[in-house]
Amino acid sequence: MSYEDLSKTSGNIEITLTEPLADILTKTKPQTKELLIRYSYEWKQGFTNKDIDTSRPFCKYLLTADKMYSRSEIETISARLGYSVWDRGGGWYTKPNTNEHSPSCRHEWVSNIVTRK
């Protein structure tokens, strides 16, 4: 965009456009990026890949897929399985050598902000 410097007084700069604003706007391409929320399937705090042998096939697949999912994709997975994988992950978890149960597995959906390629 070109400007013409008209006067410099008291530290203030007064400028005017050298072409019509409509022309400038049609030539200028927006520089914004589209931000998206995508979810990765990760270990909850206290668990790591050393626990993968005792994970369900569903969880193993999602952990090793190295993919991010939209909320819509997660809801589609839930519809196919017949329960909310958003809430339960791969299913119930029982702490070893106890009778303590958790309604979700050792994994969770973690939100990530990404830009569209």
Side-chain angles (χ1 to χ4, degrees):
M1 186 179 331
S2 56
Y3 296 100
E4 186 177 335
D5 185 359
L6 295 180
S7 66
K8 294 181 182 181
T9 57
S10 310
N12 295 330
I13 300 173
E14 193 174 310
I15 54 175
T16 186
L17 295 172
T18 58
E19 58 188 287
L21 184 58
D23 293 346
I24 293 171
L25 293 175
T26 57
K27 291 179 188 176
T28 305
K29 302 281 187 212
Q31 298 297 317
T32 58
K33 293 186 177 193
E34 186 177 5
L35 298 178
L36 306 166
I37 297 176
R38 293 293 182 259
Y39 301 90
S40 54
Y41 197 67
E42 299 180 19
W43 292 99
K44 287 182 180 175
Q45 187 174 356
F47 300 101
T48 64
N49 273 340
K50 69 179 180 171
D51 301 305
I52 200 153
D53 289 340
T54 57
S55 292
R56 293 176 176 85
F58 169 84
C59 294
K60 288 179 185 178
Y61 175 80
L62 290 178
L63 287 168
T64 59
D66 195 30
K67 180 180 175 191
M68 291 197 188
Y69 301 85
S70 68
R71 182 66 191 240
S72 175
E73 290 171 315
I74 296 168
E75 290 171 0
T76 299
I77 295 168
S78 294
R80 287 184 179 176
L81 294 176
Y83 69 90
S84 173
V85 297
W86 181 259
D87 295 325
R88 289 181 31 196
W92 286 80
Y93 172 67
T94 302
K95 291 182 182 179
N97 306 315
T98 72
N99 200 23
E100 287 184 54
H101 305 286
S102 171
S104 63
C105 67
R106 299 170 289 175
H107 313 100
E108 63 188 345
W109 295 101
V110 176
S111 63
N112 302 274
I113 299 174
V114 299
T115 57
R116 189 180 298 276
K117 286 186 179 181

